[in-house]
Amino acid sequence: MPMAESEATVPRPEALETWYNLTDVRIEAGRVVYYGEPLIPERRLLAELRPAFREAGYELSFATAADSSDTALVAVPLDDESGSNGIPWINVVLLAATILSTLFVGSYVWYFVPLEEIVANPLSILQAWPFTAAVLGVLLTHELGHYAMGRYHGVDVSLPYLIPFPAVFGTMGAVIRIRDRMPSRTVLFDIGAGGPIAGLVATVVVTAIGLSLEPIEVPAAMVESSQSVDSIVFNNPLLLEGIASLISEPASYGPGYNPHPVVIGGWVGMFFTVLNLLPVGQLDGGHMVRAMVGPRQETIAALVPAVLFGVAGYLHYIRGLSLNESVGLWAFWGVFALVIAANGPADPDDERSIGLPRLLVGLLTFGVGLLCFMLVPIQVQ
């Protein structure tokens, strides 16, 4: 049952009744609902009231009231992700778990440390610290680019959540949470583009460092077995090949040697950049295109799943590749794009154009992202 205002303490900043003809306040399903009528346009009302409610620990929006078809102001408590001492424990625990998973995967998969040696001496995984530093450096720089732009514009964003995954790269990437509604297309663009731009800079630096390091020798037993069984090949994007050519270092080696594992950090950065720049839903590319072209972004987003399914179909039916040769990868992302496209893009309050300079930055970012694209990123040979 709804709880009357007198039964609980609720935020009621002075500006609320200045800009809103308040008639009743109730608590419904954990939300504080303010019934009444706006005295100014809704978007301006939210812009006026949000800072005070955020300071009180609430996020403010318009929504349909639980017991009527009318809209009302709704305040929802912000998540408190920190402990009593202010430490964001969820972020810290996930960071620690991802460091361990990338150290393990790096040592076992990319440095060829036998599993028996890791079990006998767990500290042996520490030799993979350059791999861990490269992969997490790229991913965290990307997410902190979003975080920095969010803080710059006064938007409530979380610290990065890393996702540990004890296979292939040791992680499934990282995400941040944006708790506020976007105040404008300009802010939406800056936050959306901040991650890919920062991540691409880190990716180029990490790749150049990795290519300059000595390759890793593949154990002879693994070289011999790869001649009789299928092996997984990570193909190089144009950006990686271009960096190698620019610094006059080889991007790949013959049998018996692999590029230094730090290069994998750059490869991961390029691969995740491509996925994040897909212009759909709440992905970085979706934010950027929504800011660049306005509501027409939904038309573009509707085409993305079809393109991804088309790529998967081309690879399977024309190139004759199997599911584990990137066919399944693009098919999965086609399904994923359908889901996030259905959830819709961000909806900024201010729909004014972002201006020519940001449009050019957006086009340049997508252009560099295309250099990271690989039709067949992973192949079995």
Side-chain angles (χ1 to χ4, degrees):
M1 291 180 60
M3 183 183 297
E5 178 188 8
S6 59
E7 297 179 53
T9 301
V10 297
R12 194 162 176 170
E14 183 179 343
L16 176 63
E17 294 183 65
T18 301
W19 305 112
Y20 192 70
N21 184 20
L22 186 65
T23 59
D24 192 17
V25 183
R26 295 181 176 226
I27 295 180
E28 301 173 355
R31 310 181 307 168
V32 183
V33 183
Y34 300 83
Y35 294 89
E37 182 179 356
L39 301 177
I40 55 177
E42 289 185 1
R43 287 184 175 179
R44 185 184 163 199
L45 179 66
L46 290 176
E48 293 283 353
L49 298 181
R50 269 197 175 125
F53 273 89
R54 195 176 300 128
E55 186 176 346
Y58 288 80
E59 174 57 26
L60 190 67
S61 63
F62 274 99
T64 302
D67 57 356
S68 76
S69 60
D70 297 330
T71 57
L73 277 172
V74 177
V76 179
L78 292 170
D79 293 336
D80 184 6
E81 297 164 346
S82 303
S84 58
N85 55 2
I87 297 175
W89 286 111
I90 296 176
N91 305 79
V92 171
V93 169
L94 287 174
L95 172 62
T98 307
I99 290 173
L100 287 175
S101 66
T102 52
L103 283 171
F104 169 73
V105 170
S107 59
Y108 180 63
V109 176
W110 301 105
Y111 282 84
F112 306 108
V113 179
L115 185 59
E116 297 80 7
E117 181 178 338
I118 294 174
V119 172
N121 178 22
L123 291 180
S124 63
I125 66 174
L126 293 178
Q127 64 186 286
W129 73 262
F131 171 82
T132 292
V135 171
L136 298 192
V138 166
L139 294 178
L140 284 174
T141 300
H142 178 113
E143 297 303 330
L144 289 173
H146 293 309
Y147 180 81
M149 294 310 300
R151 295 301 297 266
Y152 174 78
H153 285 291
V155 174
D156 187 20
V157 296
S158 72
L159 289 168
Y161 297 89
L162 285 159
I163 306 171
F165 183 68
V168 191
F169 306 122
T171 177
M172 291 288 286
V175 296
I176 64 168
R177 294 178 59 195
I178 301 175
R179 304 185 185 96
D180 284 349
R181 182 184 173 98
M182 289 294 173
S184 68
R185 282 166 61 177
T186 296
V187 174
L188 178 62
F189 178 85
D190 289 353
I191 294 176
I197 292 173
L200 281 169
V201 171
T203 293
V204 170
V205 172
V206 164
T207 302
I209 292 172
L211 291 170
S212 302
L213 297 174
E214 292 296 320
I216 296 294
E217 185 174 1
V218 181
M222 294 189 67
V223 175
E224 293 174 3
S225 65
S226 67
Q227 296 173 355
S228 58
V229 299
D230 291 337
S231 58
I232 300 175
V233 175
F234 294 87
N235 293 318
N236 292 333
L238 286 175
L239 182 59
L240 194 151
E241 295 283 355
I243 295 170
S245 177
L246 190 64
I247 64 176
S248 301
E249 295 286 350
S252 57
Y253 296 86
Y257 290 91
N258 280 350
H260 194 279
V262 167
V263 177
I264 303 302
W267 193 97
V268 168
M270 296 177 199
F271 182 61
F272 278 95
T273 293
V274 170
L275 299 179
N276 274 298
L277 284 178
L278 291 175
V280 60
Q282 301 287 325
L283 294 178
D284 298 343
H287 288 325
M288 292 171 65
V289 174
R290 176 64 177 83
M292 293 167 72
V293 305
R296 289 173 292 176
Q297 183 266 349
E298 294 195 52
T299 301
I300 297 172
L303 299 174
V304 173
V307 171
L308 295 173
F309 287 132
V311 170
Y314 166 76
L315 294 178
H316 183 63
Y317 294 106
I318 305 300
R319 294 275 297 271
L321 300 182
S322 62
L323 281 176
N324 61 355
E325 294 178 293
S326 299
V327 174
L329 169 70
W330 296 124
F332 168 80
W333 274 88
V335 173
F336 186 66
L338 274 175
V339 174
I340 58 178
N343 290 330
D347 187 18
D349 293 330
D350 186 349
E351 288 286 359
R352 284 177 292 184
S353 172
I354 63 174
L356 182 59
R358 282 184 170 84
L359 282 172
L360 293 176
V361 169
L363 291 173
L364 179 61
T365 303
F366 281 112
V368 177
L370 281 176
L371 296 178
C372 300
F373 176 75
M374 297 161 281
L375 195 63
V376 185
I378 301 171
Q379 193 167 10
V380 178
Q381 294 183 343

